[in-house]
Amino acid sequence: MNEIIKTVGERLKHCRMRKGLSQEQLAEKCGLHPTYIGQVERGEKNATIESIWKIANALELPLEVLFEKLVGDGTRTESLPSKAYDIVDALPEEDQELILTILSCILRFRSR
């Protein structure tokens, strides 16, 4: 169960950071205490479904995204595409676009 708590917390943190919000700003948007937000992100608190919904809603993040790609014991699936997705997803959109351009160039070069 701890792995689920940590994974969901990490995903919330990545999304918050990608949106450029501080923990305080997110807490204000969802009506929770900033300390609580930090504890959830670090996996120190087992948040209620209602709290997770409030946070996800404030981040405009569908709940299913928080729980996708988890296996039965709460760990993430560790396929290469999943790892690459997690890395790229945490980057700013400008960097994501650059990576997409680079990948497109590599694929064009290899198909020659």
Side-chain angles (χ1 to χ4, degrees):
M1 187 61 87
N2 283 341
E3 282 301 313
I4 292 172
I5 295 166
K6 287 181 181 181
T7 299
V8 169
E10 288 172 4
R11 289 177 179 179
L12 288 170
K13 180 179 179 177
H14 285 295
C15 185
R16 174 183 61 77
M17 293 176 71
R18 196 172 65 241
K19 293 207 175 257
L21 296 173
S22 68
Q23 289 178 346
E24 292 78 14
Q25 291 169 318
L26 176 58
E28 187 174 317
K29 284 184 79 161
C30 61
L32 297 170
H33 196 277
T35 301
Y36 183 74
I37 297 293
Q39 291 170 329
V40 169
E41 287 183 351
R42 292 187 299 276
E44 297 171 358
K45 284 282 186 187
N46 187 0
T48 64
I49 293 172
E50 181 180 8
S51 294
I52 290 174
W53 180 84
K54 287 179 180 180
I55 296 168
N57 192 45
L59 292 170
E60 300 172 349
L61 180 68
L63 280 176
E64 57 269 17
V65 171
L66 293 175
F67 299 101
E68 71 183 358
K69 300 180 188 168
L70 295 177
V71 293
D73 63 357
T75 58
R76 285 183 252 196
T77 55
E78 292 298 328
S79 67
L80 287 176
S82 292
K83 288 179 184 179
Y85 174 84
D86 288 343
I87 291 168
V88 173
D89 188 49
L91 297 173
E93 189 173 332
E94 181 179 292
D95 291 347
Q96 291 177 8
E97 290 173 2
L98 178 60
I99 290 170
L100 180 60
T101 301
I102 292 169
L103 287 173
S104 296
C105 289
I106 291 170
L107 291 173
R108 278 196 310 272
F109 178 77
R110 293 183 81 188
S111 67
R112 289 181 179 185

